[in-house]
Amino acid sequence: MAGRLSRMSKALPKGGGALSVCKVTNARLHAGQLQSKLERTLAAETTKQRSQITGNAGLNYAAWQLSRRGWHVMPTIRNARGSDLIVVNDDETVFFGVQSKALSKRGAVGLGKSLETLRSEWWIITVNANADAPSCYILSINDVRRIASRDKGGDQSYWLERRDYENEEFREAWGRITGRIDAQ
């Protein structure tokens, strides 16, 4: 872009004139605006990629934990409605869905505007999903509905507040799911 501006200024007639100076000034302003917009777009894209990586890390960690406890685990199509993981036992007599929520640090988990649309039987919240030792909180759908909080104003979305899910009852409570198979 700088090279193009340099060539434009060399192409101006000698003595320049007000119109020529105005064109160069506008081109420089336009280039600055484009660069600023590009930087904002790249920052937003980087944040989105980091968020996707965190989500993938939490999803795969939850799948690994379930697999090592004797379950067959299959991720669903990315961004599909409903469960993130489909889980089945060896003789295919027990099936259930898992909603995976991954956080890069401790925080609230968004649930949307209605608790009635929640589908998955089990919820696994993975905190510090990108770290060497993530922590998981295992909740049933009934737990999620029971402890959900609602925004007081604004769009009135539902949330799982950290203070509510970060509870010893749920922390690394894989036996809540795996009770039918040896909990390691």
Side-chain angles (χ1 to χ4, degrees):
M1 187 58 120
R4 200 166 113 193
L5 289 174
S6 176
R7 285 191 303 274
M8 286 175 59
S9 64
K10 288 178 185 172
L12 293 175
K14 299 278 187 223
L19 183 59
S20 299
V21 171
C22 185
K23 285 181 182 177
V24 170
T25 302
N26 284 340
R28 286 186 181 141
L29 284 174
H30 187 64
Q33 290 168 341
L34 285 175
Q35 183 173 353
S36 178
K37 185 173 182 173
L38 178 61
E39 288 169 356
R40 285 192 308 272
T41 302
L42 288 174
E45 198 61 33
T46 301
T47 300
K48 182 179 177 183
Q49 287 172 345
R50 261 189 254 127
S51 177
Q52 289 173 346
I53 289 169
T54 300
N56 288 340
L59 180 78
N60 288 305
Y61 185 74
W64 175 69
Q65 288 289 356
L66 290 164
S67 294
R68 62 188 287 266
R69 287 170 169 80
W71 295 97
H72 299 281
V73 183
M74 181 179 65
T76 59
I77 296 172
R78 190 172 152 172
N79 292 327
R81 292 180 70 141
S83 300
D84 296 315
L85 298 171
I86 302 299
V87 183
V88 61
N89 67 351
D90 274 338
D91 59 2
E92 297 182 0
T93 57
V94 178
F95 290 83
F96 57 88
V98 171
Q99 181 69 47
S100 173
K101 296 293 185 180
L103 305 170
S104 59
K105 56 186 177 193
R106 297 163 58 195
V109 175
L111 300 175
K113 295 186 185 228
S114 171
L115 297 178
E116 297 308 312
T117 59
L118 304 180
R119 299 179 185 184
S120 302
E121 186 176 345
W122 290 100
W123 288 59
I124 300 174
I125 301 170
T126 306
V127 178
N128 297 322
N130 300 322
D132 290 339
S135 297
C136 291
Y137 298 88
I138 312 338
L139 294 85
S140 70
I141 192 167
N142 292 331
D143 297 326
V144 171
R145 288 181 174 142
R146 179 175 48 84
I147 67 172
S149 301
R150 192 163 198 180
D151 282 344
K152 302 291 184 249
D155 66 2
Q156 298 208 351
S157 292
Y158 286 93
W159 297 86
L160 288 180
E161 297 293 339
R162 187 185 86 202
R163 68 176 181 269
D164 296 325
Y165 71 77
E166 229 178 46
N167 179 319
E168 283 307 310
E169 174 187 3
F170 307 131
R171 183 179 172 74
E172 302 299 336
W174 297 100
R176 299 184 79 206
I177 293 176
T178 61
R180 290 168 254 179
I181 293 180
D182 179 41
Q184 296 175 348

